[in-house]
Amino acid sequence: MRFIDWLDERLEIRKLIKVSLTDYKVPKNINFLWSFGMLLVLTFAILFISGLFLLMYYKPDAKLAFDSVNKTIIMDVSYGWLFRHVHAVAASIVFLLMFIHIGRGIYYGSYKSPREIVWITGYILFILFAATAFTGYLLPWGQMSYWAAQTITTLFEKIPFIGPQLVIWLRGDYAVSDPTLTRFFALHVTLLPVLIMIVMGIHLYSVRIVGSNNEDGKPIDKKKEGVPFWPVFMSKEFFVMSVFLLFFFYLVFFKFDFAMDRVNFEPANPLQTPTHIYPEWYFLAFYEVLRGFFFSQNLGLIAFALSMVMILFLPWLDKSPTVSGKNRPLFQIAFWIFVIDVLVLTILGKLPPTGLYAWVGFFAALVFFGFFISLPIIARIEKKQLEGDKK
Amino acid sequence: MSEKKVSRRDFLLYAIGGWAAVGAGATLYAMYKTWEPLPEVKAAGIVEFDLATVKPGEVKVIEWRKKPVFILHRTPEMKEDCTKRTIKTSSGEYTVVIGICTHLGCIPNWEPENNIWHCPCHGGKYNACGINIFGPPPKPLYIPPFKLEGTKIVLGEEGPEYKQMVSG
Amino acid sequence: MIKELKILFAIVVIVLIGYYGIEDLAHHEMYGNIPKPDFNYLDLQYDIKEKGNPQNGENLFKQNCLSCHSLKVKNLKAMMDENTAMHAFNVVPPDLSNRANIVEEHFLFNFIKNPQNATKNPKFAMPPQPQLTDKQITDIVSFLKTVAKKDIQGEEIIEDACTRCHNIKYQKIEAHTNPENLKKYLGKIPPDLSLKGKSRDKEYLVAFINNPQTVLPGTSMPRLGLTKESTEKVVNYLEHIADPHKEERNKIGMWVLIYMLIGVILTYSWKKKIWKSLK
């Protein structure tokens, strides 16, 4: 008996391959943007493996952390620098991939019924990745690590009644210090990656159930219009992956600065704030929403919290019967304004919030919410048009 | 499987497989290299010690590669014939051995009244040359690789005296 | 195909605008105003007017400088040992063997005349030397110039100019002066230099070494008057020790990119083959 038959008898391996790969049909009219899910899985794997090798030399102790990263790992361990660079660049790039993945979902209406669970699990993954990135950023214990953690945890202080106590509880001290480092470390290397893997599993499973959306947003007759995931779609996927990896390794070897800020090569100093502090680029848009309401701190905080959750409610904000944005001229306008707005917010997030920048920031923050408010209105207009056409 | 059956699609798939294997191999090599001892560990693998600081009849224990090394400055009362295990410098004759019992790895103690090393675990005994003279140890105590520089001994490097000792 | 390229183009444009905005534009806004270095030290007023006499300079050196400074190239020991000097001045006085080739000549002349003014540091440890005439200072400078080594390496310059106050932990170099004395002298312990070549860019380091007060007003670091060449050597050395794997990285990087390019070609041809058979 062949080994595959032996396995098949015990695990129904053939059926599994059939269901998940060869018989799993995806629409033919999907472009390379639909490969970004697999790219994200790939990048997560890269993060996991490179992180594992960093973990072997990293020391989660406020006295040792900085040197263990910058001396032991980067200078002494053979190829330690490679794993460090790969991890840092992948942690940054995973957000670029996620933003494109989400952007594609919004443009082609992939959040709409029946794909709400896909959308919700995707949103949870985004939050989990953000938490992982935030906890991981503290670990090198450089100036930027330290002050990012210090300022972001301070945000919780503004929560009514429990705020001040909550912040001390989060940090385990009156300021960010060794206990904060060790608990962030624990979350970063165990709980958060495990949660990511579980939610990722549900996310992929739910896509297998409801099927991929496509450019036209119309459900396909899988027997006639679908192509098998393996080998047809995977052949394209491999191509996209190798192009991505070419770009990724170019960044790792020759352009890693964007993911490893210079300031973070200064050891953390609780008594001296760097002249400029800013979050990593993927948090800048949300950070700018916070700063945009420069005249009121409380309003800024509420806006910040809202900006992080708004996207979760897309399936219920946009009830238009037309799925794909490709066939929705009004929605397209709103979408591109939104994309440009996020870009503007991101850039402003790193510029000093003074003078003109402050006002542009305020305006851009309003536009950010404007997009979500416009969705039900656009949907209503489109419904009326459709009814009009029928008559 | 005849050669004709290998269509272009298959050939390409094999090529991609081979290409991926090269990448995986390179990655595994980098992973393998990360487990090598760090430079500071390697540097600690070579220890210098001045034999002249050991008084006649005295045993000094130094650490070399996480193991104890016994350095005994022999006196004329120690009558054993140690010609093949002697390290001779201008300051005297020495026994330099790794202080780990060849039986089960315990650390023997020096008994100055008998001029022997006595292993506390199973009673093995070694004379002042480090040669097993009683009990379960199957072999004499090992001599670490060394190099002589005047009265200084460098542990971890193989000098001519060591090579001669090993071959003789 | 064309449509996919259009999508790719849109993404690339958005990413590039974002990258430019976040990296170049914002960094320029935040760190852009680094003053230009002046390696001629033109703000210092006294000029060297004549040629110095090295023989004379040697005698003058022995009479005036040797009380604190040694001169190893001539086997001259300072009268005060390092420890005594450290407790008197809170900093170890430097050996002057190679000084004159590290420090710009015009600066050195002004420095001997008035160290506090030249270094722009009112607390600078060396006292002014009013007993010396301009001619005598010129002689000392020319003497120091004749003994100084010509082709001096970045590492040696660092040893000479920086590590009396700065640690370079990752190179196992400790400051010659005790931390407590440094704290008394400068108000705080000067930062470690192990990673400065990474935490600061080249332009900043050059400008800062050239004239600390213009870059970081109020800093206790004195202006040391390094020549352009010495400054560049120092900065290159700092960059090298902060990023020792740069060459290896670039080399491996090229190979990895070539390897990935082969992958792109292979996967593309396979994809084309499979999708062709669909139609």
Side-chain angles (χ1 to χ4, degrees):
Chain A
M1 210 192 324
R2 282 166 66 199
F3 179 63
I4 189 97
D5 297 321
W6 185 86
L7 262 186
D8 192 44
E9 237 167 51
R10 283 150 185 85
L11 290 172
E12 296 208 337
I13 203 98
R14 287 214 170 90
K15 200 171 169 192
L16 184 72
I17 291 172
K18 233 176 158 182
V19 169
S20 62
L21 297 172
T22 51
D23 254 14
Y24 172 58
K25 295 281 177 64
V26 290
K28 205 178 160 187
N29 63 336
I30 58 179
N31 56 47
F32 76 92
L33 289 174
W34 267 269
S35 300
F36 276 66
M38 279 304 266
L39 290 187
L40 279 160
V41 175
L42 174 73
T43 311
F44 179 71
I46 290 174
L47 281 166
F48 189 92
I49 292 165
S50 58
L52 183 65
F53 279 83
L54 295 178
L55 191 51
M56 290 171 189
Y57 288 98
Y58 176 73
K59 295 199 163 63
D61 180 312
K63 287 194 192 73
L64 307 171
F66 184 83
D67 288 343
S68 75
V69 172
N70 292 303
K71 174 81 167 82
T72 312
I73 291 175
I74 289 194
M75 294 186 185
D76 293 347
V77 176
S78 304
Y79 300 107
W81 55 269
L82 181 59
F83 287 97
R84 168 86 178 104
H85 283 204
V86 164
H87 200 70
V89 171
S92 203
I93 279 309
V94 86
F95 282 91
L96 178 64
L97 295 176
M98 243 184 304
F99 287 152
I100 295 172
H101 194 57
I102 294 169
R104 188 268 294 155
I106 296 176
Y107 186 81
Y108 295 110
S110 301
Y111 46 82
K112 286 185 185 163
S113 174
R115 297 191 179 82
E116 291 95 334
I117 298 291
V118 183
W119 191 253
I120 293 167
T121 49
Y123 173 76
I124 295 171
L125 279 171
F126 172 69
I127 295 298
L128 286 173
F129 267 104
T132 315
F134 176 60
T135 48
Y137 198 60
L138 182 66
L139 303 187
W141 205 245
Q143 271 291 67
M144 219 37 134
S145 301
Y146 184 87
W147 289 98
Q150 185 76 7
T151 46
I152 298 297
T153 48
T154 306
L155 288 183
F156 290 90
E157 217 165 61
K158 305 297 186 293
I159 296 173
F161 308 116
I162 53 163
Q165 297 307 314
L166 179 68
V167 172
I168 295 170
W169 179 79
L170 274 176
R171 293 175 179 162
D173 199 339
Y174 299 102
V176 170
S177 62
D178 190 67
T180 327
L181 175 65
T182 43
R183 64 187 57 180
F184 275 32
F185 170 72
L187 293 175
H188 182 79
V189 302
T190 57
L191 180 66
L192 290 169
V194 167
L195 287 179
I196 285 176
M197 282 187 273
I198 293 170
V199 181
M200 208 182 250
I202 303 172
H203 191 66
L204 290 175
Y205 172 74
S206 58
V207 177
R208 291 287 181 279
I209 301 293
V210 294
S212 274
N213 186 23
N214 58 57
E215 282 186 4
D216 299 325
K218 291 188 184 100
I220 52 159
D221 179 351
K222 281 187 179 168
K223 287 205 178 102
K224 283 181 195 155
E225 293 170 283
V227 293
F229 191 75
W230 174 267
V232 177
F233 190 66
M234 267 320 265
S235 72
K236 186 170 182 171
E237 196 89 64
F238 280 157
F239 171 59
V240 177
M241 268 183 192
S242 55
V243 173
F244 165 71
L245 285 176
L246 179 68
F247 167 67
F248 175 74
F249 281 113
Y250 164 71
L251 295 177
V252 165
F253 287 101
F254 300 105
K255 211 87 203 138
F256 48 86
D257 286 6
F258 80 100
M260 299 164 94
D261 199 281
R262 281 186 183 278
V263 181
N264 221 21
F265 291 107
E266 301 272 354
N269 181 355
L271 301 176
Q272 193 188 9
T273 316
T275 34
H276 302 284
I277 56 170
Y278 34 82
E280 284 290 274
W281 70 268
Y282 37 85
F283 291 139
L284 285 172
F286 305 104
Y287 182 64
E288 185 56 24
V289 170
L290 169 77
R291 293 199 310 183
F293 296 83
F294 56 89
F295 42 84
S296 159
Q297 197 189 27
N298 289 333
L299 222 57
L301 273 165
I302 294 166
F304 173 67
L306 273 178
S307 72
M308 295 286 280
V309 294
M310 274 325 267
I311 205 163
L312 175 63
F313 299 109
L314 275 181
W316 296 278
L317 285 171
D318 177 9
K319 286 287 208 181
S320 168
T322 323
V323 176
S324 173
K326 208 174 143 192
N327 311 319
R328 304 171 63 193
L330 264 179
F331 175 83
Q332 276 189 22
I333 296 169
F335 175 80
W336 285 110
I337 291 176
F338 180 66
V339 169
I340 293 166
D341 186 61
V342 171
L343 187 63
V344 168
L345 283 170
T346 300
I347 294 172
L348 281 174
K350 208 165 181 178
L351 293 168
T354 47
L356 183 66
Y357 290 146
W359 284 101
V360 178
F362 174 58
F363 182 70
L366 290 182
V367 172
F368 182 89
F369 293 106
F371 171 70
F372 295 97
I373 294 166
S374 75
L375 287 178
I377 302 168
I378 292 173
R380 182 172 290 178
I381 295 171
E382 283 174 347
K383 256 184 206 166
K384 272 191 183 154
Q385 272 176 352
L386 271 178
E387 280 161 15
D389 289 348
K390 271 179 194 164
K391 278 172 197 169
Chain B
M1 277 227 252
S2 66
E3 275 179 26
K4 278 179 192 168
K5 273 192 178 173
V6 180
S7 69
R8 185 148 167 251
R9 181 203 274 196
D10 291 335
F11 167 73
L12 273 170
L13 201 53
Y14 287 139
I16 291 171
W19 170 82
V22 171
T27 313
L28 283 174
Y29 173 75
M31 288 171 176
Y32 162 78
K33 291 290 275 185
T34 62
W35 273 26
E36 280 186 349
L38 293 178
E40 68 214 54
V41 176
K42 282 182 186 159
I46 291 168
V47 175
E48 242 187 50
F49 183 76
D50 189 0
L51 294 173
T53 57
V54 187
K55 290 183 209 110
E58 191 189 19
V59 171
K60 272 205 173 167
V61 183
I62 59 172
E63 196 192 290
W64 173 73
R65 297 192 182 173
K66 301 269 149 54
K67 296 179 192 109
V69 169
F70 298 152
I71 296 172
L72 165 69
H73 189 160
R74 281 208 307 273
T75 53
E77 301 109 66
M78 301 171 189
K79 294 202 177 66
E80 296 91 350
D81 172 30
C82 294
T83 38
K84 280 182 183 166
R85 301 173 63 85
T86 293
I87 291 170
K88 225 175 164 180
T89 70
S90 56
S91 55
E93 291 189 355
Y94 301 87
T95 299
V96 177
V97 285
I98 295 176
I100 289 181
C101 182
T102 52
H103 176 221
L104 286 174
C106 297
I107 299 173
N109 299 312
W110 176 245
E111 286 179 2
E113 57 276 17
N114 305 322
N115 286 334
I116 57 157
W117 277 288
H118 188 173
C119 183
C121 292
H122 304 94
K125 285 177 187 171
Y126 301 87
N127 66 13
C129 316
I131 293 170
N132 47 324
I133 48 170
F134 176 80
K139 278 178 188 161
L141 292 172
Y142 288 109
I143 296 169
F146 67 88
K147 198 174 85 182
L148 287 177
E149 285 171 1
T151 64
K152 267 189 202 151
I153 187 166
V154 183
L155 296 176
E157 279 180 25
E158 296 187 3
E161 294 88 353
Y162 174 75
K163 280 178 189 152
Q164 203 188 343
M165 211 180 263
V166 173
S167 63
Chain C
M1 185 67 189
I2 301 289
K3 189 188 63 197
E4 298 209 342
L5 282 177
K6 270 188 193 161
I7 298 171
L8 182 66
F9 180 73
I11 290 176
V12 169
V13 167
I14 292 171
V15 169
L16 282 181
I17 292 174
Y19 180 81
Y20 171 78
I22 296 161
E23 289 292 305
D24 297 2
L25 179 69
H27 276 256
H28 183 78
E29 285 266 336
M30 282 185 279
Y31 305 108
N33 300 317
I34 296 173
K36 287 269 163 294
D38 165 24
F39 289 105
N40 297 315
Y41 301 96
L42 292 174
D43 59 309
L44 296 173
Q45 58 192 95
Y46 303 107
D47 276 331
I48 302 177
K49 293 197 183 75
E50 53 210 311
K51 250 192 128 192
N53 176 343
Q55 273 87 36
N56 231 347
E58 180 160 8
N59 291 329
L60 285 164
F61 182 89
K62 285 178 185 159
Q63 289 155 21
N64 292 285
C65 314
L66 206 57
S67 49
C68 301
H69 295 283
S70 59
L71 195 72
K72 280 180 191 150
V73 275
K74 286 261 170 185
N75 273 325
L76 294 175
K77 263 196 191 142
M79 284 174 226
M80 218 188 251
D81 70 281
E82 281 204 347
N83 250 325
T84 324
M86 185 166 74
H87 287 106
F89 299 108
N90 285 321
V91 64
V92 176
D95 179 86
L96 297 182
S97 304
N98 294 324
R99 227 352 88 147
N101 258 342
I102 295 172
V103 171
E104 202 271 329
E105 197 175 0
H106 168 66
F107 180 93
L108 191 56
F109 180 84
N110 278 277
F111 174 84
I112 298 173
K113 244 183 135 59
N114 188 341
Q116 288 69 26
N117 183 43
T119 58
K120 297 201 181 173
N121 183 335
K123 289 187 295 180
F124 195 81
M126 172 162 149
Q129 309 291 323
Q131 79 280 17
L132 294 170
T133 64
D134 283 6
K135 171 77 180 79
Q136 285 173 319
I137 295 177
T138 316
D139 288 347
I140 294 175
V141 170
S142 73
F143 164 64
L144 287 176
K145 267 207 110 78
T146 53
V147 297
K149 207 161 91 180
K150 286 276 152 356
D151 194 28
I152 178 163
Q153 298 302 307
E155 196 174 350
E156 296 170 273
I157 302 174
I158 292 251
E159 175 74 13
D160 207 326
C162 315
T163 56
R164 279 182 306 124
C165 300
H166 290 283
N167 288 335
I168 311 181
K169 204 164 64 173
Y170 294 174
Q171 305 302 312
K172 300 206 164 65
I173 297 174
E174 231 176 273
H176 304 331
T177 313
N178 281 337
E180 304 89 73
N181 290 97
L182 282 173
K183 211 165 178 180
K184 274 188 221 156
Y185 177 32
L186 299 169
K188 63 174 228 176
I189 295 168
D192 187 274
L193 299 185
S194 304
L195 288 174
K196 282 288 168 198
K198 225 173 185 179
S199 68
R200 299 287 186 186
D201 64 15
K202 196 167 213 155
E203 200 191 346
Y204 179 95
L205 286 173
V206 169
F208 184 76
I209 294 169
N210 179 257
N211 198 344
Q213 292 299 335
T214 56
V215 180
L216 195 66
T219 178
S220 43
M221 162 132 164
R223 177 165 73 165
L224 295 166
L226 265 56
T227 61
K228 186 163 189 257
E229 206 193 343
S230 320
T231 310
E232 272 162 12
K233 280 179 179 169
V234 165
V235 173
N236 285 343
Y237 176 74
L238 287 177
E239 288 197 329
H240 173 71
I241 59 168
D243 189 8
H245 296 293
K246 194 174 176 182
E247 269 179 41
E248 188 192 3
R249 192 176 59 230
N250 288 340
K251 218 171 88 189
I252 295 176
M254 277 322 292
W255 282 109
V256 171
L257 291 196
I258 290 168
Y259 169 80
M260 288 316 308
L261 209 60
I262 294 170
V264 169
I265 294 165
L266 281 176
T267 48
Y268 181 69
S269 17
W270 188 52
K271 188 236 151 192
K272 236 182 136 184
K273 177 82 194 163
I274 285 201
W275 282 66
K276 218 185 214 168
S277 64
L278 282 181
K279 283 163 197 165

